[in-house]
Amino acid sequence: MDIEDDVAAHYDHPGLEALILNGLAALGQDPDNIDPDVLAAADQLHIGGTDATQSVAEGAGLHAGMRVLDVGCGIGGPARYLAHHLGVTVQGVDLTPESVRTAESLTRRSGLEGLVQFSVASALRLPFDAGTFDAATMLHVGMNIPDKAAAFREIHRVLKPGGIFAVYDIMSMDAGTPQFPLPWASTPASSFLEDRAGYLAALAAAGFRLEGERNRHGFAVEFLQRTQDKMSASDAPPLGMHLHMGTDAKRKIGNLAAGVRQGVLAPVELFGRRD
């Protein structure tokens, strides 16, 4: 099994959509007429949820009429958020076929299929013509990509001149080694953490000019503490990040929270402009 197969298998959860629909039903939601803002509790698989997605959108200057590529879209949460709240058209790509199938189903159930589409594809081999998109986003994806420079070159290719690339990834802070399992990898074999300098070098090598950055460490500490508090309650919430992580959910989120608190890890926003 190669790296991409291993990563795709890690995120393969055939029963995930049923868990989400059951959670929505528990909240009194019609599964065939989903409110995307309610669904957001379960479809934003990154630190900060919709607050983080909104921050990335604002930093990238996304607005109605833009065509956006979401790399590593998972089950489509950020793509639906951007379409629902900003009116952008989004194309999501992901390695895991089951994630794409779930993304398509949840998008139809949310009434957003006219603005959001998905396909199975690798960041290293994007099935789009050069200069197709106004912007690209990548939220908590780079930790699974060993050759970030190659991925960034491919994203640069499919962006229009002047297009913006927004990255929101968990990065190494050079203060130690995180404990596994983590949300994106059960073992170090499929985890490719990189520090800020490595990301900046990969962006520059791909032809991006850095326009902004922000370390969200404090924001992450607070968010992960709230997440752990909810999971420690006698009844776990019907919707949440834990639905994606199986029986190891508490351990994975606990290891992530510990790594962030200890300064080993931090989520960082980077915004690069294609010249």
Side-chain angles (χ1 to χ4, degrees):
M1 182 179 290
D2 67 17
I3 292 299
E4 289 193 340
D5 289 338
D6 188 38
V7 170
H10 176 78
Y11 293 102
D12 187 34
H13 302 295
L16 179 59
E17 183 181 8
L19 291 174
I20 292 172
L21 294 178
N22 289 339
L24 288 165
L27 296 173
Q29 288 284 304
D30 178 354
D32 292 319
N33 187 23
I34 299 173
D35 180 344
D37 290 332
V38 175
L39 179 59
D43 69 5
Q44 306 279 322
L45 195 60
H46 51 269
I47 293 172
T50 55
D51 287 343
T53 304
Q54 180 179 354
S55 177
V56 168
E58 291 175 350
L62 304 184
H63 57 80
M66 295 181 77
R67 188 176 186 193
V68 179
L69 173 67
D70 185 24
V71 179
C73 62
I75 65 168
R80 283 187 293 273
Y81 178 92
L82 297 174
H84 181 58
H85 286 276
L86 300 180
V88 301
T89 299
V90 188
Q91 173 69 56
V93 296
D94 199 90
L95 285 174
T96 306
E98 183 62 24
S99 293
V100 169
R101 190 204 65 77
T102 301
E104 291 172 337
S105 176
L106 293 175
T107 300
R108 287 194 303 271
R109 293 171 184 271
S110 302
L112 292 169
E113 66 271 29
L115 289 174
V116 188
Q117 295 183 331
F118 303 96
S119 57
V120 178
S122 166
L124 302 176
R125 297 173 298 278
L126 294 170
F128 309 110
D129 292 336
T132 296
F133 299 97
D134 300 294
T137 58
M138 194 175 84
L139 283 69
H140 285 25
V141 174
M143 306 94 69
N144 287 130
I145 300 176
D147 191 348
K148 294 174 183 56
F152 294 174
R153 286 194 299 271
E154 184 67 348
I155 292 166
H156 183 280
R157 180 185 68 81
V158 301
L159 283 175
K160 297 176 182 177
I164 190 78
F165 177 31
V167 176
Y168 178 54
D169 270 355
I170 296 173
M171 300 185 190
S172 169
M173 294 291 112
D174 297 324
T177 303
Q179 296 296 309
F180 288 84
L182 287 160
W184 63 89
S186 295
T187 72
S190 56
S191 178
F192 305 98
L193 287 163
E194 183 61 81
D195 59 17
R196 169 184 175 274
Y199 271 83
L200 295 183
L203 285 169
F208 288 102
R209 171 170 42 86
L210 185 68
E211 286 205 340
E213 63 179 293
R214 182 162 60 148
N215 186 313
R216 307 298 315 271
H217 178 264
F219 169 75
V221 170
E222 294 178 3
F223 174 83
L224 290 169
Q225 185 61 61
R226 292 195 303 271
T227 300
Q228 287 186 290
D229 290 345
K230 291 177 183 177
M231 293 181 64
S232 297
S234 57
D235 293 319
L239 295 176
M241 296 171 65
H242 60 283
L243 296 182
H244 298 255
M245 301 178 199
T247 56
D248 276 348
K250 285 187 178 181
R251 190 176 171 202
K252 290 174 179 175
I253 293 175
N255 286 340
L256 173 58
V260 172
R261 283 196 303 270
Q262 295 162 7
V264 175
L265 306 169
V268 178
E269 297 174 349
L270 297 173
F271 300 93
R273 181 76 63 182
R274 183 197 191 283
D275 291 328

